Amino acid sequence: MSASHDGQGEQASAISLPASQIQGQTTPMISRPNFQKTNEDKMKHQLSIGFPAPSIKMLAWVQGDPVHVFHPGWIYIIVYLSTTCGYCETALSALETLQEMYKDMGVEVIGVVAKEPASTADEARSLVETWLAETLSNSDIRIAYDHTGEMDKLWMDASLSFRVPQAFVVSKNGTIAYIGDPNSLECILHGVIDGSWDSSAEAREAEKERLAECEVNALERGFEIQIGTAIEVRDWKRALAATEEAIKSIPDNPTFREAHVELLMIKLHAFEAGWIALGRFARDAIERNCADWLLAAMRQLFCSPYEYSSLPFAERFSMGKELSDCILRLCPKQDALSRAESYEKIASYYHENGEKSRAVELVEQALALVQGETLSDDVKQEWIADLMRVLGKYKQ
């Protein structure tokens, strides 16, 4: 989903979240409070495939019969969720279908909500119950929550997991068989059921890749906290220094490049330095030919609250043309929602360039793609409302 559909407004900013808000993003990346110590320990994981499954005794149950221990011979899919995660509803609905398919083979799905922004256990329960009533009222999946922090510590933190939804598969012998994206479960579940997955080379390679990605995620998370903390106290120079260090340490993350440009242009009013940074960002995006980078650069060039009159007119539109052409070439390989996001971003360039009919055409194509997708009503309506707002603006 594009930045304009993530609950942060039409012009979402890479630097808009202070440290106190980082833990509750629409698609949460669960933070590690003791990141510095974790970094010094070189990201040692304490939970991986083949390890005994941790306890779930601390869970408080909201829906379905309680499960206090994992029974031998059963396969449990523990899915970590959040009431603020826009994708969790879709993931849980798919898992309910999976459970129905495999329930006769001893597969049980348990949804776990933890780390909610609640001061008491009763408040946390109320948040979860309200969320279930609004989004998953017909679900038969067992749902529990934990307000003690133990579940987070034993499962998410121990496995170096940072995002939700996150799935943990407990095999028939009580050990962890899989950790990762719930979308991949259908591909591996047959192997877990017949016992061939647990000791396979494929399982080991998947976990190796996951842990390598986790190390990068942890490093990213640490820089996000540093930058967010500086932004919260309006220390723009410290935020800039942390952002520049993040770019050096993690050169493949376009979000830090966006934050760098925004800090220079918006907070420090260093327009010359900001334009140099933005130009380099756009050139790197074109060279990489990666959709995430191209869209981020386009967002900075045409969809951000800058005083664009201070930037070189011809160069800006020349870059916009190159970015648009690159994005359009990638569109046939994208899924429908990614294409809709691409069309919406490209349309901003055409509209500002005076090609209003082309801009309208692109937004109408994006709208048709979204309307044809199977999405939850609230997500679809958010997309449609945003696109209709843009379409109305372009038709004026």
Side-chain angles (χ1 to χ4, degrees):
M1 187 176 292
S2 72
S4 57
H5 304 280
D6 64 3
Q8 296 177 37
E10 186 172 354
Q11 293 180 336
S13 168
I15 63 171
S16 61
L17 291 178
S20 61
Q21 297 177 15
I22 287 176
Q23 297 179 24
Q25 296 181 46
T26 305
T27 305
M29 295 191 296
I30 305 300
S31 68
R32 300 178 59 79
N34 196 13
F35 172 82
Q36 186 173 357
K37 183 179 185 301
T38 303
N39 192 41
E40 291 169 355
D41 289 343
K42 296 184 179 179
M43 296 304 300
K44 295 177 181 177
H45 63 272
Q46 297 170 309
L47 184 64
S48 183
I49 61 170
F51 285 43
S55 173
I56 56 171
K57 290 181 179 179
M58 75 292 291
L59 290 177
W61 295 85
V62 177
Q63 179 172 287
D65 295 332
V67 175
H68 300 296
V69 295
F70 297 121
H71 299 287
W74 283 76
I75 294 168
Y76 296 90
I77 301 174
I78 308 296
V79 189
Y80 222 89
L81 307 164
S82 169
T83 61
T84 59
C85 166
Y87 178 65
C88 285
E89 177 188 350
T90 303
L92 204 52
S93 178
L95 285 167
E96 187 168 24
T97 301
L98 203 64
Q99 178 176 265
E100 185 66 24
M101 290 171 57
Y102 293 101
K103 65 180 181 180
D104 293 337
M105 300 181 189
V107 175
E108 184 79 34
V109 177
I110 299 174
V112 175
V113 183
K115 220 177 184 72
E116 291 302 295
S119 56
T120 66
D122 287 342
E123 186 181 342
R125 173 182 281 275
S126 179
L127 283 172
V128 176
E129 288 176 339
T130 301
W131 175 64
L132 284 174
E134 292 176 351
T135 62
L136 298 161
S137 57
N138 297 320
S139 174
D140 292 327
I141 289 178
R142 301 174 200 256
I143 302 291
Y145 75 96
D146 174 47
H147 187 64
T148 68
E150 279 300 300
M151 189 75 184
D152 192 54
K153 178 181 177 182
L154 295 176
W155 291 79
M156 292 291 282
D157 285 357
S159 64
L160 307 185
S161 296
F162 297 89
R163 294 184 174 90
V164 295
Q166 180 79 325
F168 299 81
V169 178
V170 181
S171 64
K172 294 177 181 179
N173 65 3
T175 60
I176 299 295
Y178 171 83
I179 303 172
D181 188 345
N183 281 334
S184 300
L185 287 173
E186 193 168 1
C187 299
I188 62 108
L189 202 50
H190 280 292
V192 177
I193 291 170
D194 66 25
S196 63
W197 168 263
D198 299 35
S199 59
S200 68
E202 186 180 0
R204 291 193 298 272
E205 184 60 29
E207 181 65 354
K208 181 180 177 182
E209 291 178 3
R210 184 190 74 83
L211 288 171
E213 183 179 348
C214 284
E215 291 185 11
V216 175
N217 289 342
L219 191 59
E220 289 174 343
R221 202 70 191 132
F223 281 120
E224 287 170 0
I225 291 171
Q226 288 180 42
I227 296 165
T229 300
I231 288 171
E232 197 164 31
V233 297
R234 304 177 69 83
D235 188 341
W236 309 126
K237 289 185 178 180
R238 181 156 63 94
L240 182 67
T243 303
E244 290 174 344
E245 183 62 30
I247 292 170
K248 291 178 184 176
S249 300
I250 315 171
D252 293 331
N253 185 326
T255 301
F256 294 128
R257 297 290 291 271
E258 283 197 89
H260 186 226
V261 173
E262 291 180 13
L263 283 165
L264 288 168
M265 301 276 274
I266 299 175
K267 301 304 182 183
L268 295 170
H269 304 291
F271 297 113
E272 183 176 351
W275 171 247
I276 292 172
L278 178 50
R280 287 174 179 167
F281 182 26
R283 291 299 172 198
D284 287 347
I286 292 167
E287 184 177 335
R288 286 171 178 264
N289 199 35
C290 168
D292 288 345
W293 278 70
L294 292 165
L295 290 172
M298 181 66 79
R299 185 162 52 242
Q300 291 299 311
L301 277 167
F302 292 96
C303 308
S304 294
Y306 301 148
E307 180 51 61
Y308 284 121
S309 61
S310 63
L311 304 181
F313 180 89
E315 290 182 56
R316 177 170 165 249
F317 279 90
S318 175
M319 286 181 184
K321 172 63 174 169
E322 285 190 70
L323 289 168
S324 296
D325 290 346
C326 288
I327 293 169
L328 283 172
R329 283 195 291 270
L330 292 177
C331 280
K333 303 175 184 178
Q334 295 178 324
D335 60 41
L337 290 184
S338 296
R339 265 185 291 154
E341 180 183 1
S342 294
Y343 290 155
E344 181 188 11
K345 288 294 176 289
I346 295 169
S348 63
Y349 156 73
Y350 282 104
H351 180 260
E352 195 168 338
N353 197 37
E355 300 177 63
K356 293 187 178 182
S357 59
R358 177 59 170 151
V360 168
E361 178 189 0
L362 286 165
V363 177
E364 288 177 339
Q365 288 180 21
L367 192 58
L369 287 167
V370 172
Q371 290 172 331
E373 279 294 281
T374 302
L375 300 168
S376 61
D377 287 342
D378 57 336
V379 172
K380 177 173 280 193
Q381 290 309 312
E382 186 181 359
W383 272 91
I384 291 174
D386 181 79
L387 289 169
M388 289 299 294
R389 185 168 57 250
V390 174
L391 190 60
K393 173 185 172 182
Y394 289 175
K395 284 186 173 181
Q396 288 177 357

